[in-house]
Amino acid sequence: MLLEKLKNRWALRNTGSKPFNPEKRVKLLRAVQKWVPVLSILLFFVAVGWILILPYEGYNKRTYISENALLPGQANLDYGFNDIHTAEAYRDKIVSIQEEDSETRAKFIHQEFRRTGFVSALQHFVIDGKTPKKGVNAFAINRAPRSDGKEALILSASWKSRTGQYNTNGIAALLSLAKLFKRNVYWAKDVILLVTDHEISGTQAWLDAYHGMEKNDEFSSIVMPRSGAVQGVVNLDFPGTQNYESLGIFFEGVNGQLPNLDLINTIVAVAHRTNPPITITLHDDNKNPFENYQYSAYLGSLNHMLQSMKYLVLGKPSSDAGLYLRYTIDAVTIHGIVGTENLHQLFGFLRIGRLVESTFRSLNNLLEHFHQSFFFYLLPQTNRYVSISQYMPPIILFSCALIFQSLALYYLGTKEIKQPSSASEKNQVIIPPAYSLQKRHTMFAFSILIISHITGIIIFNLMQPSFGWKYLAQFEEKQMLLIQYGASSIVCILTILLSIRYTNTSPEHDGTILKSFCLAQTALVIATVSLLNFTLGVATAILILVPYSLIRPSTNYATKSIQILILFLLSPVGLAYLFSQFSRLPLTEILADILSDYHTVKSWFLTFICIAYWPINMAMMILVFTCSST
């Protein structure tokens, strides 16, 4: 029955019995032209609302152990009072030598490893820079008596804590645990014990050497003791010599990478099953800042999630452990948080040692690499998670909001579509369909986008740390950064001014088509980047979607000025200035951090800004000074 009706309707359309109604099409296209911008803004707010719902406990899920072999907290532990005395003795020795030079400190660790009976070595490395710095890492390998050495675990600590203090308790705990590991024979995996110098730089140097990534490095290729593929890493960060109120977990890696959720869940489970339990939190927020508010639980979860997104959006690791993720090694940092409010729950070497021992006993049970649980997630709490299926829809909404506007601008333009006024016009199809071959002036838009992206590549090369070291070596480091930053800004301004001078009022220089292309490219960038780094895609969309939707060609001087001011504040130059003002950090320190992350840990943030974000911003500035032929 239905098929017959469809055949009849199709036959009527083919025979021309049902005449074409241009007035109805005009009304439809007018509605599309009018409501697409409104729909786009609506999709934006729906997406933002969706993200804000994610920390709500009724929407996210409780974490669980996916890998059955882990059995967290089930092993009998050996770390006892003798090990506590050993750790305290090491702490006293470390306090006496921690102010010495890198070589002296590394030799002390090396000798202690050798006394315990490990295969140990020192690694000397050089940190690139205007004035290169030298450092020394010390590490040892506990060979597992029950395996062939093809798999390993790493217990690491750096000489400096993230707080700026010396990681005294962290290294002392590592050395005491090293003796514990040596006297037990149940290990099925090798355990690598690593003490790094210069924090992230030392960890990166060791990783490069261990995996043979350093060129012309005789140590890494010939002498360096090695074990097998690393299955998991726990990095100890316990500053000072005092006890701690709670335990923080840092898990964010480079360019939005995250460790397998099972590793975090194992540490959380072990901390809860330790007797007495250890209070555990995300990062170093041991107290909910919204404790006295009505919706304190939700606001606390939102705060945790935003803290995590803050690290992920910049593409920098939140701790030394984040560097291991580049080599597909799951790693976390456990950080001792000092407090004075809950003195009844303070913990020291005993619970630190038992926590680490129990975690390593669970990791020792692994039969294969972490794979059962999630690699893409958000954590609003230590025991709650948001999976990728729940947080990706906002990205789709952001992208659709931009694509809808782009298509409407390309096919319909911005001028009002007129009704046919005469009978002859009604008999003609005056509204071209979407597949029409009507000529559109796209060459100008393509030219502007190509020019802006070439400028972005030039800026990217100007901002390279190696460019400053090679051509600006005669200047101080701060002056060198400001010169690079200033030269990049001048190149950007010159490109915009020359492009504006090139534009004219002819139909070929169509600002509507340029805006359509800019919005389409922005949607493409947001959707693509979010697959690699969800937080960076979300931050980009929230920042520019609404302003870019409202920017348009104008002949009014005041309107042009307001639009240029908005676009300047959204440019990397404007954002760097605003961030410097709000954070009260010097501009040179912000630039040094970004360039250091790019050079040392291979962060993509600088690349994204110069190659993708800034060129679109420049094209939008040029757009303001164009005409709209439609």
Side-chain angles (χ1 to χ4, degrees):
M1 191 73 179
L2 178 61
L3 186 60
E4 288 295 327
K5 287 184 177 180
L6 291 174
K7 284 182 178 180
N8 293 335
R9 180 171 293 183
W10 187 254
L12 284 173
R13 180 173 293 182
N14 288 340
T15 56
S17 301
K18 189 175 181 180
F20 172 72
N21 188 349
E23 294 180 357
K24 186 180 291 187
R25 175 166 287 193
V26 167
K27 288 180 181 179
L28 175 63
L29 294 180
R30 277 184 176 178
V32 171
Q33 195 179 45
K34 178 181 178 181
W35 292 107
V36 160
V38 177
L39 175 64
S40 298
I41 301 298
L42 179 63
L43 289 175
F44 170 80
F45 285 108
V46 170
V48 172
W50 192 306
I51 294 170
L52 294 176
I53 289 173
L54 294 177
Y56 176 59
E57 194 167 308
Y59 190 78
N60 50 55
K61 300 175 183 177
R62 181 174 290 276
T63 57
Y64 57 91
I65 302 290
S66 299
E67 180 59 70
N68 294 326
L70 287 169
L71 300 173
Q74 302 298 314
N76 293 323
L77 304 180
D78 298 323
Y79 196 93
F81 289 102
N82 288 334
D83 300 293
I84 295 173
H85 294 316
T86 302
E88 289 172 346
Y90 276 131
R91 179 175 62 189
D92 295 337
K93 292 179 182 178
I94 291 168
V95 168
S96 64
I97 60 106
Q98 63 189 10
E99 298 288 349
E100 301 291 334
D101 59 281
S102 298
E103 189 74 29
T104 303
R105 296 184 307 194
K107 283 183 177 178
F108 166 76
I109 300 295
H110 176 58
Q111 290 168 1
E112 293 300 327
F113 283 150
R114 296 289 293 272
R115 286 195 187 102
T116 308
F118 293 121
V119 175
S120 179
L122 297 176
Q123 180 207 2
H124 295 79
F125 63 92
V126 178
I127 304 172
D128 292 336
K130 184 174 179 292
T131 53
K133 298 179 182 178
K134 295 183 178 181
V136 188
N137 294 329
F139 68 99
I141 301 176
N142 178 35
R143 301 291 182 184
R146 299 174 54 195
S147 76
D148 54 3
K150 291 183 178 179
E151 293 181 341
L153 305 172
I154 294 180
L155 180 63
S156 66
S158 175
W159 275 103
K160 278 289 186 74
S161 167
R162 59 178 294 102
T163 62
Q165 298 174 272
Y166 283 103
N167 188 19
T168 309
N169 280 350
I171 297 177
L174 182 145
L175 292 173
S176 68
L177 284 161
K179 287 194 170 183
L180 173 72
F181 293 165
K182 184 64 178 177
R183 69 173 182 256
N184 288 307
V185 296
Y186 45 63
W187 297 108
K189 295 176 173 60
D190 293 352
V191 178
I192 300 173
L193 302 151
L194 172 64
V195 179
T196 58
D197 197 15
H198 294 297
E199 300 84 48
I200 284 179
S201 299
T203 304
Q204 185 62 54
W206 187 87
L207 279 167
D208 287 341
Y210 186 82
H211 292 91
M213 303 291 288
E214 288 289 331
K215 297 179 180 179
N216 303 321
D217 187 351
E218 295 181 359
F219 179 77
S220 65
S221 60
I222 301 173
V223 184
M224 184 174 190
R226 281 187 173 84
S227 179
V230 181
Q231 304 295 307
V233 180
V234 176
N235 184 61
L236 303 181
D237 187 351
F238 292 91
T241 58
Q242 68 286 320
N243 290 338
Y244 306 96
E245 185 178 84
S246 56
L247 187 75
I249 295 183
F250 289 85
F251 55 93
E252 294 84 4
V254 183
N255 300 319
Q257 290 180 292
L258 297 169
N260 190 274
L261 189 55
D262 265 348
L263 178 58
I264 298 173
N265 293 341
T266 300
I267 294 175
V268 172
V270 169
H272 288 160
R273 293 171 187 175
T274 302
N275 189 20
I278 298 175
T279 303
I280 193 163
T281 184
L282 297 175
H283 308 109
D284 49 6
D285 298 329
N286 61 332
K287 185 180 178 182
N288 184 358
F290 306 98
E291 191 174 358
N292 299 322
Y293 287 71
Q294 183 178 0
Y295 303 103
S296 60
Y298 166 77
L299 293 174
S301 297
L302 178 64
N303 181 56
H304 281 308
M305 195 175 79
L306 293 178
Q307 285 288 329
S308 180
M309 294 174 79
K310 177 188 73 174
Y311 292 110
L312 295 173
V313 73
L314 296 175
K316 64 185 299 178
S318 58
S319 66
D320 294 5
L323 298 173
Y324 292 90
L325 299 174
R326 289 183 56 227
Y327 300 85
T328 64
I329 300 171
D330 299 293
V332 295
T333 291
I334 52 176
H335 171 68
I337 303 172
V338 179
T340 56
E341 293 188 4
N342 300 307
L343 299 179
H344 63 283
Q345 63 186 35
L346 294 180
F347 64 92
F349 283 124
L350 177 62
R351 281 193 271 176
I352 293 172
R354 293 177 75 85
L355 170 75
V356 176
E357 182 192 0
S358 184
T359 301
F360 270 70
R361 291 292 298 276
S362 292
L363 298 178
N364 190 52
N365 294 335
L366 279 175
L367 302 176
E368 50 191 334
H369 197 82
F370 278 112
H371 68 282
Q372 294 274 10
S373 194
F374 295 95
F375 286 96
F376 300 96
Y377 53 85
L378 296 173
L379 290 184
Q381 292 291 343
T382 54
N383 60 346
R384 312 287 302 183
Y385 77 99
V386 180
S387 69
I388 186 172
S389 62
Q390 293 169 299
Y391 68 67
M392 280 304 286
I395 287 292
I396 299 171
L397 295 177
F398 286 137
S399 301
C400 287
L402 291 165
I403 286 294
F404 290 162
Q405 287 190 79
S406 175
L407 293 174
L409 288 170
Y410 186 79
Y411 288 114
L412 302 179
T414 55
K415 284 191 175 181
E416 184 181 2
I417 300 171
K418 296 181 180 179
Q419 290 278 9
S421 57
S422 63
S424 60
E425 287 183 348
K426 288 183 180 181
N427 292 330
Q428 298 175 359
V429 182
I430 62 168
I431 306 300
Y435 51 81
S436 169
L437 298 179
Q438 179 190 13
K439 183 180 178 181
R440 291 178 175 84
H441 304 292
T442 59
M443 186 56 66
F444 170 72
F446 275 123
S447 301
I448 293 298
L449 287 173
I450 290 170
I451 290 169
S452 63
H453 279 81
I454 291 173
T455 305
I457 294 171
I458 294 171
I459 291 173
F460 178 62
N461 284 282
L462 286 175
M463 291 300 294
Q464 294 280 333
S466 55
F467 179 87
W469 302 335
K470 185 175 182 180
Y471 298 105
L472 303 172
Q474 66 271 28
F475 297 99
E476 296 287 334
E477 188 171 355
K478 290 183 178 180
Q479 293 176 331
M480 183 177 72
L481 288 170
L482 290 175
I483 291 171
Q484 288 179 269
Y485 179 70
S488 302
S489 303
I490 290 171
V491 169
C492 170
I493 293 170
L494 287 175
T495 301
I496 294 170
L497 292 177
L498 292 173
S499 299
I500 291 171
R501 186 176 179 83
Y502 166 68
T503 62
N504 54 49
T505 57
S506 67
E508 285 79 9
H509 292 185
D510 191 350
T512 304
I513 300 298
L514 176 58
K515 181 178 178 180
S516 172
F517 284 10
C518 287
L519 294 180
Q521 187 180 4
T522 304
L524 177 64
V525 167
I526 290 171
T528 306
V529 167
S530 65
L531 296 175
L532 306 172
N533 188 343
F534 165 78
T535 306
L536 182 57
V538 167
T540 304
I542 292 175
L543 198 63
I544 66 177
L545 194 150
V546 173
Y548 282 14
S549 300
L550 299 177
I551 297 296
R552 62 192 60 206
S554 176
T555 55
N556 184 278
Y557 179 78
T559 306
K560 281 184 179 179
S561 302
I562 293 171
Q563 292 188 118
I564 289 296
L565 177 61
I566 292 171
L567 290 170
F568 170 75
L569 294 176
L570 292 174
S571 70
V573 177
L575 292 175
Y577 172 77
L578 291 175
F579 185 77
S580 175
Q581 293 299 311
F582 283 111
S583 63
R584 300 181 182 277
L585 291 173
L587 181 61
T588 51
E589 186 175 333
I590 296 170
L591 295 174
D593 267 353
I594 294 174
L595 298 187
S596 174
D597 290 337
Y598 167 77
H599 181 74
T600 305
V601 304
K602 308 300 183 289
S603 169
W604 296 338
F605 186 71
L606 178 65
T607 309
F608 169 77
I609 290 295
C610 295
I611 304 298
Y613 183 87
W614 207 340
I616 299 175
N617 182 268
M618 286 188 277
M620 293 299 289
M621 286 189 178
I622 297 166
L623 165 70
V624 175
F625 294 89
T626 61
C627 65
S628 178
S629 63
T630 58

